[in-house]
Amino acid sequence: MTADENSAETRGPDFRGRVHAVVHGVAYGDAMGAPVEKLSAAEIRERYGRVTSLRTEWHRTGQSEQARQGRIRGHGIVTDDTGMTLALMRIYGRERRHLDAWDMGTGMVREITWERHWVPELQREAALIERLFYPEKWIFQRHQLSGCDPRQGGVGNMVNCGAAMYIAPVGVVNAGDPQRAYDEAIAFAMGHQQSYGLEAAGVLSAAIAQAFVPGTTLDQVIRTAHDLAHDGTRSAIAAIVEIAETLAAKGAGPDEVTAAFHTAIAPFSPMGDDLVHTPEKAGRASNAYQPSRLLSIEELPLALGFCLTAGGNFKQAVEDGINSGRDTDSIGVMAGAILGALHGPSVIDPEDAALLDDANRLQLGAAADHFTDAALAIQANDAASAKAILAARRALSNPAKDKAAE
């Protein structure tokens, strides 16, 4: 084997291939989890046995249109997780620079409110805000209706995984630089989320940026996520990783893993199994989903844990996350994005990719290519800026020598 061949083998998939895999991982995990979202693990087992395919019927199919809120799911249809990820990719495509909270207040507000795209769950062209959950509609309310300082856009919002679920593109743009990915995700998502919901967005971006590093391992990705996390998010990741390593060593089955994970995450997450909003819950005072330095969204630590217990296997990690119940689509999105970045296009099954495009009227490959071009342009600007900064610092360290050299 030549040195060049060894180098290519060490590098693994190229940047473009990994971006395609991240985009596919988001859509795949989203569409896989959507039909069973809000069911408990026990309910999924009772109804489906185990979800292993995109061609799964939504558990609410057959209910009235009012009960379904006019939506359809199943058989490859994605949700707002993918919709907002694609929106963020389009913002990068237009701006071709790093983003901050002002881009949430302009670019994301325009994307979700004033641009119309095919919304698969509604089966029509619409503004994405028609589909969004209340914490994501907050973006429009705070930035356009309230005219807030963009950096305070997330203040007062319900704390949830809404920012983390679409933040993967920030990790892509900052591939190889987890700290910068964390910082940019925080700077951008603070226009939407606060507290541990904001923290999760930063940590997931960092994990994805680390996964792009040639030759990196899943353990290194998870260590990066843990080390850059703060407060309850860091503690929750540590708790899940500890139990995941134990379960992986003993070869525990998915049901045992899910039960152990839910026990481990309970001190950090207010979610539980009862996710359905009903009239009976109106007016109940609760600390759930309120700012806290001690809590964590559960989707990110669980996604990391399922990646570990699956040994980094893309499909197994997504499937195990989906079958654990609760916020299934977002767990699938996070596991899919991380392992897509780590493994590259080998995770893309052509049949699954074709179904995702067809069911959602998307061209995920073309969207990934356009986003890749924007990310590469940003990275080229970063390289030029870094070179100029280095030259300036060298001049400052020895100005007399540099002047003599002139």
Side-chain angles (χ1 to χ4, degrees):
M1 180 178 291
T2 67
D4 286 344
E5 288 171 337
N6 183 60
S7 176
E9 184 177 286
T10 302
R11 286 197 305 270
D14 67 6
F15 181 74
R16 188 173 297 271
R18 291 178 194 260
V19 177
H20 275 253
V22 169
V23 175
H24 175 82
V26 166
Y28 177 82
D30 186 13
M32 178 79 83
V36 294
E37 184 185 15
K38 296 189 178 180
L39 293 182
S40 68
E43 289 169 330
I44 293 172
R45 283 195 299 271
E46 180 180 357
R47 186 181 182 100
Y48 297 93
R50 180 172 169 85
V51 176
T52 60
S53 169
L54 290 178
R55 298 185 183 277
T56 301
E57 184 177 81
W58 188 21
H59 72 93
R60 296 176 66 178
T61 297
Q63 295 182 357
S64 69
E65 184 173 355
Q66 181 178 5
R68 292 183 287 105
Q69 297 180 305
R71 301 175 190 170
I72 67 168
R73 285 187 178 184
H75 300 283
I77 289 177
V78 298
T79 76
D80 56 333
D81 294 47
T82 300
M84 292 193 73
T85 301
L86 294 171
L88 180 50
M89 289 162 57
R90 288 192 293 267
I91 295 170
Y92 273 120
R94 286 195 301 271
E95 301 298 333
R96 293 186 169 241
R97 56 170 172 76
H98 293 288
L99 305 179
D100 59 23
W102 277 264
D103 296 295
M104 182 69 74
T106 55
M108 190 58 84
V109 166
R110 289 170 182 163
E111 280 288 338
I112 68 173
T113 312
W114 304 112
E115 300 292 336
R116 298 177 69 85
H117 298 277
W118 182 260
V119 179
E121 289 176 288
L122 302 180
Q123 289 292 287
R124 58 183 171 86
E125 284 196 358
L128 187 56
I129 198 170
E130 292 189 42
R131 163 57 188 86
L132 297 180
F133 189 34
Y134 299 107
E136 284 62 69
K137 291 179 178 178
W138 181 265
I139 297 169
F140 170 70
Q141 178 177 325
R142 283 287 283 163
H143 290 281
Q144 182 150 354
L145 299 187
S146 300
C148 67
D149 180 323
R151 294 164 295 190
Q152 298 177 344
V155 176
N157 199 0
M158 164 189 169
V159 182
N160 77 336
C161 78
M165 73 184 188
Y166 64 79
I167 208 69
V170 177
V172 173
V173 166
N174 293 285
D177 192 342
Q179 182 66 65
R180 186 161 187 174
Y182 175 94
D183 292 342
E184 183 168 348
I186 296 297
F188 177 71
M190 69 195 305
H192 172 200
Q193 262 298 325
Q194 61 176 338
S195 189
Y196 56 95
L198 176 61
E199 180 66 11
V203 174
L204 179 59
S205 293
I208 291 170
Q210 178 64 42
F212 270 83
V213 175
T216 199
T217 65
L218 178 59
D219 285 343
Q220 289 171 320
V221 170
I222 292 174
R223 190 178 308 116
T224 295
H226 171 269
D227 291 351
L228 285 178
H230 298 86
D231 300 328
T233 301
R234 185 172 189 169
S235 299
I237 291 172
I240 290 293
V241 168
E242 180 179 8
I243 192 67
E245 290 174 342
T246 301
L247 292 167
K250 65 181 286 191
D255 292 346
E256 183 181 355
V257 170
T258 292
F261 279 3
H262 284 174
T263 298
I265 202 67
F268 308 99
S269 170
M271 184 172 287
D273 281 338
D274 185 10
L275 275 65
V276 179
H277 298 279
T278 63
E280 292 73 27
K281 293 182 178 180
R284 288 187 189 175
S286 172
N287 290 326
Y289 310 111
Q290 296 302 309
S292 171
R293 293 187 64 180
L294 303 178
L295 299 181
S296 169
I297 67 161
E298 66 176 45
E299 294 87 345
L300 174 58
L302 290 178
L304 292 169
F306 285 118
C307 288
L308 264 178
T309 55
N313 181 282
F314 173 82
K315 284 201 170 184
Q316 184 185 334
V318 172
E319 288 178 14
D320 289 350
I322 296 313
N323 286 280
S324 71
R326 304 181 180 177
D327 191 8
T328 49
D329 55 339
S330 294
I331 296 171
V333 162
M334 295 180 199
I338 291 168
L339 294 179
L342 186 64
H343 297 311
S346 64
V347 307
I348 303 175
D349 179 278
E351 184 176 335
D352 289 336
L355 175 59
L356 289 167
D357 276 352
D358 184 62
N360 300 288
R361 299 192 183 184
L362 290 172
Q363 293 182 315
L364 289 174
D369 276 332
H370 184 67
F371 173 51
T372 300
D373 292 341
L376 288 171
I378 295 168
Q379 291 167 9
N381 288 336
D382 287 347
S385 296
K387 185 176 180 180
I389 291 168
L390 181 59
R393 288 175 178 171
R394 283 175 174 168
L396 288 168
S397 66
N398 197 346
K401 181 178 179 180
D402 285 357
K403 185 178 177 76
E406 292 176 1

